Amino acid sequence: MFGSVIDFELGEELNTLRDRVRAFVHEVAIPAEARDRSEHGLDPGLRSELQEKAKEWGVFGPQLSEDLGGLGLDLRGSAVILEEAGYSVLGPQALNCAAPDEGNMHMLGLIATPEQRRRYLVPLAAGEIRSCFSMTEPAPGAGSDPSMLLTRAARVDGGWSVSGRKWFITGADGAAFTICMAIAEEGATMFLVDAENPGFTVERTIEATDRAFPGGHGEVVFEDCRVADDAVLGAVGEGFAYAQVRLAPARLTHCMRWLGTARRALDIALDYANEREAFGRKLGELGMIQRFIAESVIDIESSRALIWRCAWALDQGANGRHESSVAKAHVAEAVVRVVDRAVQICGALGVSGDAPLARLMNEVRPFRIYDGSTETHLWSIARRTLKARAGASR
Ligand SMILES: Cc1cc2nc3c(=O)[nH]c(=O)nc-3n(C[C@H](O)[C@H](O)[C@H](O)COP(=O)(O)OP(=O)(O)OC[C@H]3O[C@@H](n4cnc5c(N)ncnc54)[C@H](O)[C@@H]3O)c2cc1C
């Protein structure tokens, strides 16, 4: 795999699209940030307004296939565009390439039946509805270790009964449907559950540091939740395999968007360091500030390189498990470092509500935990590497 050529040229079309998305973010998304005041994510009115504008600008759905009204980019192209969108927390919502819908659309595109596609994927891709993904459970259920899943699915007349409790389900409040992971006799299985199903309840929206996701993060209950056989997504017993199909690209697209956020934070810090004076010179002339800046540039550029490598591997058809773990573990830590340094460079302004940095810090911090915590990724990278070496030396 590593013998073939890696090309860093973006090409004219992608460059043009990147410039258009950059202009959209500066002219539409950033000015709208002052109106984004809701506690748990962007309010539905502002989200629809931004999505309509993105359609007018021809930048809607960059990662979606053309038959779904998207721009049909592969992951390498998406890496460029989603980074640009992430420069504003409103960018990915406007372009309909934000989590969790983006990961759900990707998975539905691969495994949904034609009828599931018509009912769930088509309106999701058009931005008409939102969705969520219900996997994590409060202790003692599944968190870092998915094998601890407690939610059960039992066969009943005409379908299934799903029972269990999930939490930190992003976008649950206001989602039209959820994809629920439950254990059936045959193994982990995914079910499409409509929000209006009487057996499904969003019990509360959890207080969290971030507020970029419409609907916040919900605690949801499935109580003898009845669904028909055609609600099974993919094959019964294959849920964990499909979760991998969703997770490797989904965690990579998170990396792309948060990289844009890190760039925004650094730009704010650079503007401050170029203007603000202390001890008879600009902050940017002080060695320790220069070190912060250089380290942030290295964090951003190394993150981009790892994202592009993983995107390339996935585009070649590799499962990308290793590349996405390496990228995720590095990028999540790197973007938090970049934003934290930007806060430090800006002094009191950095922690105030006057600059968006305090908000950005609250947005990026949870990324070290979701889509696999840094520690679980480091653990699997180390185990894989040890095993490979043991195999090589035998
Ligand atoms: C903002 C946010 C949004 C989320 N959205 C969703 C969603 O939409 N749908 C969904 O299903 N879930 C979602 N989650 C849940 C997320 O997937 C879990 O938080 C994650 O899998 C970790 O599980 P846990 O929180 O139960 O942590 P635990 O499993 O309790 O782990 C706690 C800590 O233990 C450490 N740890 C765990 N394993 C290891 C190891 N092998 N080696 C060393 N240390 C280890 C890590 O530091 C970890 O952070 C979201 C979480 C957050 C914070």
Side-chain angles (χ1 to χ4, degrees):
M1 182 161 73
F2 297 101
S4 56
V5 173
I6 297 179
D7 190 351
F8 288 95
E9 274 301 320
L10 300 187
E12 203 185 316
E13 231 177 292
L14 192 54
N15 264 322
T16 306
L17 180 61
R18 183 189 55 183
D19 292 347
R20 198 170 335 128
V21 171
R22 188 171 290 174
F24 176 84
V25 165
H26 281 88
E27 290 175 36
V28 180
I30 292 177
E33 286 174 0
R35 290 157 60 208
D36 169 31
R37 290 271 162 234
S38 55
E39 204 183 335
H40 295 299
L42 191 57
D43 79 74
L46 183 53
R47 183 172 181 268
S48 311
E49 181 190 317
L50 291 172
Q51 292 198 343
E52 280 315 307
K53 291 236 169 80
K55 286 176 186 169
E56 285 165 23
W57 277 64
V59 296
F60 186 80
Q63 82 293 1
L64 290 168
S65 56
E66 286 167 14
D67 63 322
L68 286 167
L71 305 180
L73 295 181
D74 60 10
L75 273 165
R76 279 164 299 178
S78 298
V80 176
I81 300 307
L82 270 59
E83 179 188 322
E84 239 20 88
Y87 198 83
S88 164
V89 289
L90 302 185
Q93 296 293 339
L95 271 57
N96 204 16
C97 61
D101 290 336
E102 180 269 323
N104 287 344
M105 290 188 279
H106 173 74
M107 189 170 63
L108 287 166
L110 291 174
I111 58 175
T113 63
E115 174 55 17
Q116 290 169 342
R117 197 180 156 87
R118 186 195 63 74
R119 193 161 156 197
Y120 299 103
L121 177 56
V122 171
L124 198 55
E128 289 161 9
I129 57 170
R130 286 198 294 100
S131 66
C132 59
F133 185 72
S134 301
M135 168 93 175
T136 305
E137 300 166 340
S144 302
D145 182 355
S147 72
M148 291 165 74
L149 209 65
L150 294 177
T151 300
R152 289 285 179 264
R155 281 186 198 275
V156 292
D157 260 0
W160 298 81
S161 165
V162 179
S163 295
R165 177 176 289 272
K166 306 278 187 182
W167 85 324
F168 262 92
I169 306 312
T170 302
D173 185 24
F177 71 94
T178 187
I179 298 171
C180 173
M181 180 81 93
I183 296 287
E185 218 176 279
E186 298 88 339
T189 304
M190 287 190 187
F191 296 90
L192 287 155
V193 177
D194 294 339
E196 64 258 28
N197 188 314
F200 173 73
T201 317
V202 180
E203 222 171 51
R204 64 173 178 134
T205 301
I206 302 162
E207 284 301 314
T209 61
D210 61 348
R211 59 178 188 86
F213 299 98
H217 311 292
E219 181 156 357
V220 306
V221 179
F222 300 84
E223 201 172 3
D224 187 19
C225 179
R226 300 290 177 114
V227 291
D229 277 323
D230 62 8
V232 174
L233 182 58
V236 174
E238 294 298 323
F240 287 147
Y242 297 138
Q244 283 311 318
V245 167
R246 182 183 186 282
L247 274 176
R251 68 168 71 103
L252 190 67
T253 56
H254 260 311
C255 290
M256 298 168 187
R257 294 180 291 259
W258 290 134
L259 179 59
T261 308
R263 262 182 42 211
R264 170 94 175 270
L266 177 60
D267 281 351
I268 293 167
L270 290 172
D271 290 344
Y272 191 78
N274 273 331
E275 290 301 321
R276 175 71 166 152
E277 291 190 7
F279 306 102
R281 66 183 78 178
K282 304 275 189 207
L283 284 182
E285 290 167 31
L286 296 167
M288 276 187 266
I289 299 294
Q290 291 177 350
R291 185 182 180 120
F292 279 152
I293 292 167
E295 285 174 341
S296 290
V297 170
I298 293 167
D299 273 335
I300 287 172
E301 293 192 10
S302 55
S303 293
R304 187 178 296 121
L306 289 173
I307 290 169
W308 285 18
R309 179 186 74 145
C310 180
W312 174 79
L314 289 166
D315 282 339
Q316 307 303 305
N319 70 25
R321 204 176 270 199
H322 176 72
E323 290 86 349
S324 83
S325 264
V326 171
K328 203 282 173 176
H330 178 77
V331 177
E333 297 294 320
V335 298
V336 173
R337 284 194 297 265
V338 173
V339 177
D340 186 61
R341 286 188 204 108
V343 166
Q344 196 69 15
I345 291 171
C346 291
L349 178 71
V351 291
S352 75
D354 291 1
L357 290 173
R359 158 117 201 246
L360 298 186
M361 183 49 117
N362 286 338
E363 297 296 345
V364 295
R365 179 59 182 86
F367 188 39
R368 292 175 57 205
I369 295 169
Y370 58 78
D371 280 2
S373 66
T374 301
E375 294 71 30
T376 50
H377 284 296
L378 295 180
W379 189 52
S380 62
I381 293 163
R383 281 183 308 157
R384 207 177 291 117
T385 309
L386 285 163
K387 200 169 155 199
R389 178 66 191 156
S393 53
R394 263 200 296 276

